[in-house]
Amino acid sequence: MRNLCGVLTVVVDTRAMIAVILAAGEGRRMLPLTLERPKPLIEVSGKSILRYILDALPGEVSEVILVVGYKREMIESAFGNAYSGRPISYVYQERPEGTLKALSLARPHLSGRFLLMNADDIHGREALEEALKYPLSLIVSPHAEPQHFGVVRVGENGSLEEIVEKPTAPPTNLVSTGAMVLDERIFGYDVPVSSSGEYYLPDALQHLSQEAPVHVVVQELWLPVGRPEDIARTEARLRDIEGNGQA
């Protein structure tokens, strides 16, 4: 795991914090598998994606909020009110209005810094732990096809300079993984509604980064599981990692 900043000393509140995990989507790209279950419960090597995410949470995380929607009863039944000693709370997203709207549903339960993650990819814990060392941070990863993601440009000080959503000519190969450390300032910006009628978190994050440094941390182990064909590739990568003693 690397970070993109040189030598930088920061002081952050190391008290216990909440992790918000967005798990409400229908997972249309994962059809037909999501006809039977929500995407976070799709299994990779016999273990649900959401379970991988919960197992990777740093020790500082003391509580989890799951934003649920599609087939939410299955997620609530699978994880109940606690997992590995951490209490779990649920908030319900009635209709898809974008990641910023989904996060805003958890706002009444948040105070200070929190960790935000999506429920459809697998992360290594080390980068998550590194991200918590900074007041605000964004976890990115190199990708061979950055044009399919939010592409990140990093400033000389190692902080977020710009996110460009699915550019035809990506300025870098670093893409946002959707995992980040934020605080309540993220809710203070008016962002435009997209053509799909949704409000997207990167628009608010761009505003926030202009007011305060959002440190960029590189995730060496990021396995997005977006389509059925990604499952076999992810399982093969996990076997390689286990075989090399990196798990």
Side-chain angles (χ1 to χ4, degrees), residues 14-169:
T14 57
R15 293 177 298 177
M17 66 190 304
I18 291 175
V20 180
I21 302 175
L22 305 183
E26 294 184 19
R28 295 179 182 178
R29 293 184 302 159
M30 191 61 83
L31 287 169
L33 300 180
T34 46
L35 292 174
E36 300 293 332
R37 65 180 69 184
K39 187 176 179 181
L41 295 187
I42 296 295
E43 292 190 349
V44 176
S45 296
K47 179 176 174 179
S48 72
I49 299 171
L50 184 51
R51 194 172 296 273
Y52 278 105
I53 295 167
L54 292 172
D55 286 342
L57 292 177
E60 293 91 334
V61 173
S62 61
E63 180 182 349
V64 174
I65 296 175
L66 289 175
V67 181
V68 294
Y70 179 68
K71 295 187 181 296
R72 67 186 189 277
E73 298 88 355
M74 295 183 69
I75 296 176
E76 294 171 6
S77 176
F79 292 96
N81 296 320
Y83 181 82
S84 293
R86 293 186 176 103
I88 296 179
S89 302
Y90 300 87
V91 294
Y92 175 51
Q93 185 178 18
E94 184 175 355
R95 57 183 181 275
E97 293 183 290
T99 48
L100 184 58
K101 285 288 188 179
L103 175 59
S104 69
L105 296 172
R107 185 178 184 180
H109 308 282
L110 300 173
S111 176
R113 296 165 66 243
F114 58 90
L115 174 65
L116 175 68
M117 300 184 69
N118 294 321
D120 53 5
D121 42 20
I122 295 171
H123 277 267
R125 178 181 291 183
E126 189 176 354
L128 300 178
E129 292 174 341
E130 178 70 15
L132 295 188
K133 296 178 182 179
Y134 302 91
L136 301 168
S137 57
L138 172 66
I139 297 178
V140 304
S141 184
H143 200 279
E145 298 180 324
Q147 67 272 16
H148 299 306
F149 301 88
V151 177
V152 173
R153 289 202 301 126
V154 184
E156 292 182 359
N157 64 349
S159 295
L160 173 65
E161 187 169 291
E162 184 182 24
I163 297 181
V164 185
E165 191 64 29
K166 298 180 180 178
T168 55

Side-chain angles (χ1 to χ4, degrees), residues 174-227:
L174 291 176
V175 304
S176 171
T177 67
M180 58 195 79
V181 174
L182 301 171
D183 61 29
E184 293 164 296
R185 286 176 288 180
I186 196 66
F187 302 112
Y189 307 101
D190 292 325
V191 302
V193 61
S194 70
S195 58
S196 63
E198 300 184 359
Y199 296 85
Y200 292 122
L201 183 61
D203 293 327
L205 183 63
Q206 188 71 61
H207 285 295
L208 178 58
S209 69
Q210 294 170 3
E211 295 189 11
V214 177
H215 187 80
V216 174
V217 174
V218 173
Q219 173 61 277
E220 301 289 358
L221 178 59
W222 179 54
L223 304 175
V225 188
R227 295 177 172 83

